[in-house]
Amino acid sequence: MITNVENLRKAKDSYVCGLLEVILKYNYEEGEKIVFCFVEGKDFFYYKCRVSAHLSEFEFYSAKGKERLKELLRAIKSNTSLSSIKYIAFFDRDYEFDLDEIRHDCNFVTSGYSLENKYTKYKSVKDIVRDLFFCCECNEDINDSLCKIMDIYRKTQRSFHQSVELFNKWAWVQRYRKKSGSLNLDQFSIVKNCKIDFLGMNVTREYDLEKLNSLFLCREPVTPAELSEAAEWFAGKEVQQAYRGKQEAEFLFEFIKFLSERGGKGEYPFKEKVTAKGISFSRKELVQQFAACVGSTDNFRNFMIKTKERLKTM
């Protein structure tokens, strides 16, 4: 009985449930008219409103993870009852360890590590801050405060990237290695491993290679030689885009929290008390909460235009 319960729980968390849902929708609810849109997780909050600008009939499904999404797509392609299905899949680029596998006409792949990296770009953060604290108003005082805020963000982010350089090299090695043992890179928190001083515009690293390896004792430790190999891969890349998105988003979350605390007291960089508009402090909801503040890229628009033309031929 316990085994059956465990099997049911595993099936619920696997791609199988998603496949069954798609089959039922496609075969019994005029699914041939629908474009099925598959995402890794909560990214559908960002993609849904943007897909609606190009398509009229679509359904979004979250696969709850990249590997489950790949499994789901393989199952769909091998299912004869779904041979004519119209679909789009949205993938994170990550460290490009599986880029050849996910590159496909039906798949959109982020230009940076993940969608979160787009949220942490200078322009996106500026739009988020303006919307949260200034209700998109514009006057001399607001512009002055906004300039000071973004100067703090730009300089502190530069120091932050220096502090997480070691983590990203270590994580790159972990992703490219074919070693046994579980790996959950979300276990690395910048709050627990870095000291952030926004007023001083400085981030201090409080971890080393030994501490990183201790996070996953079930895996063979990363060596300095392997870190050098990772450094070659990162060379020449824009780190804001290439570094892991979850930690980039955590940094943005801490920055917004810092601004909310300072704004509530009317302290620098604000000139008066300012209350953040409708903010809920949950890092995991960052993509959902600020989806409207982050613009679409030419890369995404071009993909959707080509997709729309491709779907007309099906």
Side-chain angles (χ1 to χ4, degrees), residues 149-194:
I149 288 169
M150 293 312 299
D151 189 54
I152 292 173
Y153 180 78
R154 179 175 56 84
K155 291 177 179 177
T156 312
Q157 187 189 48
R158 185 185 304 146
S159 179
F160 163 69
H161 285 148
Q162 293 171 350
S163 296
V164 293
E165 178 182 358
L166 174 60
F167 163 74
N168 276 277
K169 290 176 181 177
W170 176 86
W172 182 92
V173 173
Q174 292 286 13
R175 280 299 188 204
Y176 270 87
R177 277 165 123 197
K178 301 299 181 184
K179 299 290 184 180
S180 60
S182 61
L183 179 67
N184 179 9
L185 294 177
D186 286 350
Q187 287 187 28
F188 180 84
S189 166
I190 63 167
V191 174
K192 295 179 180 179
N193 293 283
C194 297

Side-chain angles (χ1 to χ4, degrees), residues 198-236:
F198 285 111
L199 286 178
M201 294 178 280
N202 184 63
V203 179
T204 305
R205 192 184 83 191
E206 296 184 332
Y207 68 93
D208 55 17
L209 179 58
E210 183 179 0
K211 184 173 183 180
L212 289 173
N213 284 330
S214 71
L215 291 175
F216 301 97
L217 293 174
C218 60
R219 295 174 68 90
E220 189 178 331
V222 173
T223 66
E226 289 171 319
L227 292 180
S228 297
E229 183 183 353
E232 292 180 12
W233 186 85
F234 282 108

Side-chain angles (χ1 to χ4, degrees), residues 40 49 80 82 89 169 198 279-280:
E40 295 181 26
C49 60
T80 55
L82 300 173
K169 290 176 181 177
F198 285 111
I279 186 172
S280 59

Side-chain angles (χ1 to χ4, degrees), residues 118-167:
K118 181 169 177 52
Y119 281 61
T120 62
K121 295 185 76 171
Y122 183 92
K123 185 182 183 306
S124 297
V125 175
K126 188 174 182 179
D127 289 340
I128 289 171
V129 170
R130 188 189 296 276
D131 181 67
L132 270 178
F133 297 97
F134 304 114
C135 299
C136 296
E137 294 180 9
C138 185
N139 60 48
E140 190 174 336
D141 285 344
I142 287 176
N143 287 337
D144 183 57
S145 292
L146 192 56
C147 284
K148 291 174 181 175
I149 288 169
M150 293 312 299
D151 189 54
I152 292 173
Y153 180 78
R154 179 175 56 84
K155 291 177 179 177
T156 312
Q157 187 189 48
R158 185 185 304 146
S159 179
F160 163 69
H161 285 148
Q162 293 171 350
S163 296
V164 293
E165 178 182 358
L166 174 60
F167 163 74

Side-chain angles (χ1 to χ4, degrees), residues 235-250:
K237 288 182 171 61
E238 182 186 354
V239 294
Q240 187 276 324
Q241 286 287 285
Y243 282 179
R244 192 167 187 269
K246 288 293 188 294
Q247 281 69 35
E248 295 288 309
E250 187 180 0

